[in-house]
Amino acid sequence: MGSLPTATTIITAVGLLLCCTAKAESRRFDDLVNLSLDELINIEITSSTRTSKTLKNVPSAATVFSQSELRSMGIDFLYELLNFVPGYQTSRDNDAGASYLYSSRGSDTGQQTSAILLLIDGIPRHEVRTSSASLLSSLMPIARIERIEVIRGPGSALYGSNAFLGVINIITVDSNNELALQVGQPDRQQLQAQISNNAGFWHFDAFLSGYQDKGQEYLLDDRLGDDLKTTQDPQAVSNFAFRLGYKDTQLSAEHINFESKDYYSVSAISNDVNEMRHYFNQITAKQAFELGNVHSLVQLSYSEENRNSQSQATNPGALAAISNPSSNAPLVGDVLFEADTTLAQWLNDWEITANTNMQFGLEWAKDDLRTARVLANYDTSMLSNRQYPVDYSPEGDIYNEVIETEDRVTKSAYSQLQHQWDSKTDLVLGIRYDNYSGFDDHISPRFALVRKLTENSSIKLLLAEAYRTPSFLQTFVKENLTVVRNPDLKAETIRTSELIWVTQKNQSTFTAGVFYNVIENRIDTATFSDGKRANINEDEEYSGGIELEAILPIGYRWSLRSNYTHFLKLPDASYRESERLASFILNYSHDSVTVNLGGYYNSERSMPPDEHGDRIDAVYALNGKIGFQVDRHTTINLQVKNILDDTVSSSPQSESIKTAIPYRGREVSIGFNYAF
């Protein structure tokens, strides 16, 4: 990346000046490190079993971040945080350049992130078209998260199809009153407000966030030619959510709006043409009640989404010889997807005896893809079927469907037994049945044994199976010049075995785990001799590796969180994945100052196969943040992302792109927080 503009110097100088002028009466932060470590040792984890567990006894490979830890880190969005989770790595999307994909345990980031379930306050969230949550979640502001639990390994025994490789459970902020402003590079402005109020049995929370920047400049390759092109990646995202509760009843709603321009769209760069707008609305009602020894919760949710994008598909003149009337204009399309999801859940926790409890429930869900069309200046259907000459309209109003509009209904039931065998042994048995329209029924089992070895350590044996049905895009795509539909595509399944050792002592936690996966009917993309692509099921494949994670104090004012992952075996299709991952988060607190330094490492990755095994250099990235407590209400922070301005990039999903996809370079910002 290029040298920093003068604005960086100004921002840094202002930050240091504010540090020097911090008031002497500001609250001391000597205890922040110890408080944060105590929180992490005893922090609640609910997504693994739908009941409260801790790091020591949760029957899963789990990583948890608390609000205090998140607020100290030099990051802004969810995708940045996932680089600090064992087994997780991210990839920039070359179909929507402001979106980031993420993978767990070596799953292919070249595919949409449909194998990891995202829960927001217990409600599943995904894009209907792809079954993925990456576009809806990658730019979720960290400031909205109260606690995040990342569960690695199959979760279908509780959650069904999308919990193929894990679950990300986000519990949003509650009971905060705060205003925050952040400005910096690249011409970045961000405003956030959190409001909370209690009145008797009533409770109200609201969150408002607005972010925009002008992006950074890049020189990139795309599928429209051999020459490198200059482009940028401006983006804007807004988020509004509220929650109203009365006793055991809760009503919540959320709106997300996301916009990006230029950069990549469908693997092509066309400045002033490429553009994407995506909005998402959701309303949820929850009612808790008691039925004797059974704690019940009914959840009803309805969401709608709209994704509209413009992109250029050909170079100028490419269709002049086969169009009517003849035109040198490039093929430009306006694609619209509209969909909605309806969900009803009845969740129960039955306390049978002091040592035995059972969780069981019913679920009904419907995904409806209402619109999937393209408006273009050429007839894309005629072009796909080689019906020449192809109709041309300078108004760009020729209509065609890109995916068949369909709906899917899922009917599910699950049951889970948790039993304390003796004072040292906990047993978990679970099973879930899913009836998924258009596919065979599926049963997902689970077994977990947690054995206390000493007062401070335990060992976990975990066995589970999960499945994932193909998405609408993979199942109902319209055939065209580059894509062939596979009507025989099957659901993929995974069987996982894990052994995990956990020890906790004197505010320190250390976890070591080994896992082994057997994957059947893995869904992959194949390219045929005529250049067309299709989704196919691969033969049985295997993957496995080790994961290490440590959280510990260093003296009185320092704390360290670190992890290391080594994949001993990856599926053949996961060539885009790094085999070794590592990260650290170092935190320091003293008086009115907090300092945080975080870094992550991804080993080399490969380019798509037609690049003959070309490698992308290993990634080293450092982020930092300094916070200054001015008084009990006001905090000022200086944040720098990608401190060293190193080139951070990932492998493209498209085989037609010959260069790595870059992340942003150094970004500097200064923030002001006021609590009231």
Side-chain angles (χ1 to χ4, degrees), residues 259-450:
E259 298 180 13
S260 64
K261 295 183 65 176
D262 303 336
Y263 204 70
Y264 284 108
S265 181
V266 196
S267 307
I269 293 171
S270 182
N271 297 329
D272 301 324
V273 173
N274 289 355
E275 186 174 358
M276 186 182 70
R277 297 176 299 277
H278 193 134
Y279 76 73
F280 173 85
N281 296 316
Q282 184 175 59
I283 185 168
T284 302
K286 299 182 180 183
Q287 177 65 55
F289 55 94
E290 306 289 330
L291 294 172
N293 291 334
V294 179
H295 308 282
S296 292
L297 175 66
V298 173
Q299 299 187 142
L300 303 175
S301 175
Y302 174 79
S303 62
E304 63 174 4
E305 57 180 291
N306 176 300
R307 172 174 170 163
N308 184 216
S309 60
Q310 292 80 43
S311 60
Q312 179 178 326
T314 69
N315 285 311
L319 303 179
I322 58 171
S323 56
N324 180 35
S326 178
S327 174
N328 287 317
L331 171 57
V332 175
D334 180 296
V335 180
L336 175 66
F337 297 105
E338 295 177 309
D340 59 61
T341 297
T342 306
L343 173 69
Q345 294 177 312
W346 179 40
L347 313 176
N348 300 275
D349 182 10
W350 178 20
E351 186 178 349
I352 302 173
T353 69
N355 298 323
T356 306
N357 58 77
M358 175 180 286
Q359 293 71 48
F360 61 94
L362 301 174
E363 181 177 307
W364 180 92
K366 180 182 179 181
D367 285 335
D368 188 359
L369 183 62
R370 304 192 312 270
T371 305
R373 62 85 176 148
V374 58
L375 293 177
N377 53 347
Y378 294 89
D379 191 321
T380 55
S381 178
M382 295 179 68
L383 189 62
S384 300
N385 295 311
R386 304 181 188 274
Q387 298 174 354
Y388 305 133
V390 175
D391 290 344
Y392 169 74
S393 170
E395 286 77 22
D397 56 358
I398 301 177
Y399 176 98
N400 280 289
E401 285 191 346
V402 292
I403 303 176
E404 290 184 10
T405 52
E406 298 279 349
D407 62 56
R408 284 181 174 175
V409 174
T410 308
K411 302 171 186 176
S412 309
Y414 75 89
S415 179
Q416 175 183 260
L417 180 70
Q418 298 187 73
H419 177 67
Q420 187 176 11
W421 194 269
D422 55 38
S423 61
K424 295 184 177 181
T425 308
D426 292 332
L427 179 69
V428 180
L429 297 171
I431 193 167
R432 175 172 168 130
Y433 166 80
D434 287 285
N435 177 278
Y436 211 112
S437 60
F439 292 90
D440 294 335
D441 298 353
H442 194 85
I443 294 178
S444 304
R446 174 192 193 186
F447 169 84
L449 183 68
V450 180

Side-chain angles (χ1 to χ4, degrees), residues 44-48 62-65 147-151 167-171:
E44 182 182 42
I45 304 172
T46 59
S47 51
S48 175
T63 296
V64 189
F65 292 89
R147 184 177 84 249
I148 179 171
E149 307 166 2
V150 184
I151 305 298
V167 177
I168 299 174
N169 184 34
I170 293 175
I171 296 87

Side-chain angles (χ1 to χ4, degrees), residues 13-26:
V14 170
L16 293 174
L17 178 62
L18 289 168
C19 175
C20 295
T21 58
K23 294 183 180 180
E25 67 269 24
S26 60

Side-chain angles (χ1 to χ4, degrees), residues 501-550:
W501 175 65
V502 181
T503 183
Q504 292 182 325
K505 187 176 182 181
N506 299 331
Q507 296 185 315
S508 298
T509 300
F510 180 77
T511 304
V514 57
F515 66 90
Y516 181 74
N517 298 323
V518 179
I519 307 168
E520 294 182 351
N521 296 322
R522 178 184 174 128
I523 300 174
D524 196 12
T525 302
T527 302
F528 303 115
S529 58
D530 60 359
K532 292 189 176 183
R533 294 176 293 121
N535 292 116
I536 62 170
N537 291 113
E538 295 282 5
D539 295 331
E540 189 172 83
E541 294 186 322
Y542 309 91
S543 64
I546 60 173
E547 296 170 337
L548 308 175
E549 187 171 22

